[in-house]
Amino acid sequence: MNADVKDIVEKSLKKAQEHDKSRNVGKAYAYYTAVAELCPSKRKQIENEFTNVLCEWGMQLAFQNRHQDVLLCYQRSLDIFPTNARMLCNFAAHLLKNDNPEKAIVYLKRALKIEPTFLPAERNLQNAYSMVVDRWHFPMLNDKIRNSAFERAIRKFVAKGYNIVLDVGAGTGLLSLYAKDAGAEKVYACEYSLVMAKIAKKVFECNNAPNIKLIPKLSSDLRIPDDISERIKLVVTETFDAGLFGELIVPSMIDVHLNLLDYNQKGIIVPGSATLYIAGVECEHIRNRSSVIFSKIKDICSINFEHISVVSEDEFYDTENLENVCITYLTEPQELLKINFNNLLELQELNKDGVKAIMHAKCVCNGIMDGLVAWFKLHLDNEITIDSSYGKSCWQHAVFPSVPKVCNQKDIIVVTAKMLNGKLKCTYNTREKAYNNDKESVIAMTKEFITFLNDFEYIKLLSQMSDSYKDKNLPNVMDLSPFPIFGLLLLKNNKYCDNLYYVTDSSVLKSLILKVVNDNNMKGSLHFYSNFDQIPCKMDIILMHNFDIKGELKDWGQESYQEFFRDLLKPSGILLPQEVYFMGQLIYSEDLPKMVYVKDINLQNTSSDDSNSDKNSNQECAKNEICERYRIAKFINEYKIDQVFDLNSSLYMCHPLSDAQIMTQIVDGVQESAVTFRSIDMKNNESLPNALVCWYKVKLTNEYIYSTNRINSFMNHMAVIFEDDSQNVMPKAADIKIKIRQMNGLISVKVISN
């Protein structure tokens, strides 16, 4: 290196460090880049500082919506440091935020090849898999009843001469395989998702079906003869969500009629029709996830919330598994809509925006109407029907929530069904008053906000804790909860509390908090900020709330998360919660594995006759033949995950096989530990554990402790699903050891052999 270049490098390094120290990361990044490019021998020396600056600069650029600059900075940096796992992972995180999961997967796999135990890359890879392959594919493919019904229907129609088949929304291509195996002359499969199309291509090759023509397009973009050579005799599709119409099945089938179906040969669509059913229900589970009636808080909290109700901001409907929750049908289930997919005029009429049905339903008992639940029957033909209300169906119920209303027996509920942009919206009304006050204002908020305020046990705990601080000298308070109950209680009841600081960009939430402050005549001042850098003073007490409603900590992987908030405190300030513990319990569940991986045995129609099989053959051989007929699992399971979030007791059944115990304490930094679950009594249990259910134990203070593993918790829980090889290291009647790796709140769990 000549003297001039050496001088430039030294000056650039000094400038980079100066700008880094003053947090001018954009200029620091530019100078560090110059050093790294001009003097490769210094790269190892500056790599950590370079990475820190790049990551911070990338976040600032993203905040300014300069996404192309983010990509350029990371690509340039990775040319310099191609084996930096953190850099690769953070670049992938930006790609995920910009809806490019396929490219993100490439960088995440590179990161894990370099550093196999890098937890942020593991977690981001699972996020990427969930983005490129929707999770509903797994329970759908594991639904034996659905699969069997479609196979039988397809076989029947192909046998009747409907032998030119189009599979709309083919996914993995299972229905296409059914058609090919049934003897169809030609099979076309269209699938818009490029990842799913790649999976289908591998599936067809593996199942000796290379003649199935795979077209990576929407059905509405198919053209004759460019994409398919002739009109179609049989269209098969399973593009239905819990509310039947959510995946735009109606406009899709209209286009099929107009452009693809063979009218001369009386081409048909399977399913031929569908019936939608609806009922009014009382269900505390629905109520606590879709609305807040503040009058119920007055017995546990001294804040006045008069004349306010909150409902979910979801515009159409939510989906819920109601099999495992307490529910009372206040009206008899009734048919709301019936649609014939083989009638073009009927489809076109249904597709127009507006009211499609009005139903009058009589209440059969007294109760509180929490909303409407809907389900459907798919009539594949005149004999074969799939019922989505069946308990183990891959479809959940569609829920149309509303402000709870008191209903009496024999009251008439008027249900109105509307179509809007191809989707269904159902509302109802009565002459009765709302649950607490018919003059209240109704505010639409997020589900996180609603779930938090409906966790009455936690609200009660916060109220009791605020009483313990009532006489403490706490002039400046910060509460980072979805709604600052604790901070507002201090502002109201602590004579020394002058200021409450709250960080949010939501104008609706700001208005609601201000209304509560005014209604309660709070004398202190309320301060809103959009980010922490704007806060002008140190706090006397901070209540953190980095719990995500789906079951994990927010901002996982962020270094020194607690240290960041400690820096906002006065030297004698109080940071809550004091400690957080990660809890676990071994279970066996048939439901959970079906959410994350597919088994080929679930794809077969074991009840149908197979004309190619010898009825007198050995049953075990026949079973093996059935198992091998359709092979899909290998290809879609490339995108399986082992952690399932956003779980609650309604979503699955399980058998506890151990006591609950502390797995680890959540700390800043990297930590490894192991925990032993004592030997499992196998006398009454035929199966070994196949999952570990996990939640958090929140120690606000020594006196106030809360567990998130409870019904109506503000936070759902998660589960780690064990691989088959993990179960192989679990000998019966032996202790089971679990290894826990933690990185700034991000957790990885693995079964280890004794």
Side-chain angles (χ1 to χ4, degrees), residues 272-383:
S273 62
T275 307
L276 185 73
Y277 299 87
I278 202 158
V281 299
E282 177 176 353
C283 180
E284 186 178 1
H285 176 78
I286 292 174
R287 186 185 312 155
N288 289 337
R289 293 167 66 83
S290 58
S291 63
V292 181
I293 307 300
F294 284 101
S295 61
K296 294 188 66 173
I297 297 179
K298 64 182 180 182
D299 296 330
I300 58 174
C301 176
S302 63
I303 297 176
N304 173 17
F305 292 98
E306 288 186 2
H307 309 305
I308 300 172
S309 282
V310 173
V311 296
S312 173
E313 63 184 4
D314 291 342
E315 184 178 358
F316 288 92
Y317 52 83
D318 203 350
T319 60
E320 296 284 354
N321 184 346
L322 301 178
E323 180 189 6
N324 304 322
V325 301
C326 182
I327 185 169
T328 301
Y329 286 84
L330 299 182
T331 70
E332 293 287 352
Q334 292 188 38
E335 179 182 313
L336 181 67
L337 285 171
K338 189 163 187 176
I339 181 66
N340 184 349
F341 295 115
N342 286 295
N343 187 317
L344 176 58
L345 294 178
E346 192 173 328
L347 288 170
Q348 290 173 327
E349 184 61 31
L350 184 63
N351 196 47
K352 298 175 183 176
D353 288 352
V355 176
K356 302 303 171 184
I358 297 177
M359 184 186 80
H360 293 76
K362 182 184 293 186
C363 290
V364 296
C365 60
N366 298 335
I368 300 168
M369 187 81 72
D370 292 306
L372 305 169
V373 297
W375 61 96
F376 59 84
K377 291 182 180 180
L378 289 179
H379 310 291
L380 304 191
D381 68 358
N382 293 331
E383 298 174 336

Side-chain angles (χ1 to χ4, degrees), residues 552-654:
E552 63 181 334
L553 298 181
K554 293 179 182 177
D555 301 309
W556 50 257
Q558 180 173 314
E559 295 179 10
S560 302
Y561 183 81
Q562 292 194 5
E563 286 299 323
F564 172 79
F565 287 106
R566 289 192 186 100
D567 288 342
L568 294 176
L569 285 171
K570 294 178 181 177
S572 59
I574 303 167
L575 185 64
L576 303 175
Q578 292 180 351
E579 296 170 352
V580 177
Y581 296 94
F582 188 67
M583 308 292 294
Q585 183 178 34
L586 292 170
I587 65 163
Y588 175 79
S589 172
E590 292 184 1
D591 298 329
L592 286 174
K594 294 178 182 179
M595 298 180 186
V596 296
Y597 61 82
V598 173
K599 286 191 173 182
D600 282 334
I601 186 61
N602 295 328
L603 308 174
Q604 326 302 326
N605 178 11
T606 57
S607 64
S608 65
D609 292 331
D610 187 347
S611 59
N612 297 322
S613 64
D614 183 357
K615 293 183 179 180
N616 297 319
S617 64
N618 180 272
Q619 288 184 352
E620 187 63 31
C621 292
K623 181 179 178 182
N624 291 337
E625 183 180 342
I626 288 170
C627 289
E628 295 177 358
R629 186 186 299 165
Y630 304 114
R631 294 180 295 277
I632 289 178
K634 173 183 176 181
F635 306 104
I636 193 168
N637 287 346
E638 290 181 14
Y639 298 91
K640 69 180 178 181
I641 59 177
D642 60 13
Q643 294 183 21
V644 185
F645 292 92
D646 210 12
L647 292 173
N648 61 65
S649 58
S650 75
L651 293 174
Y652 66 100
M653 297 290 289
C654 71

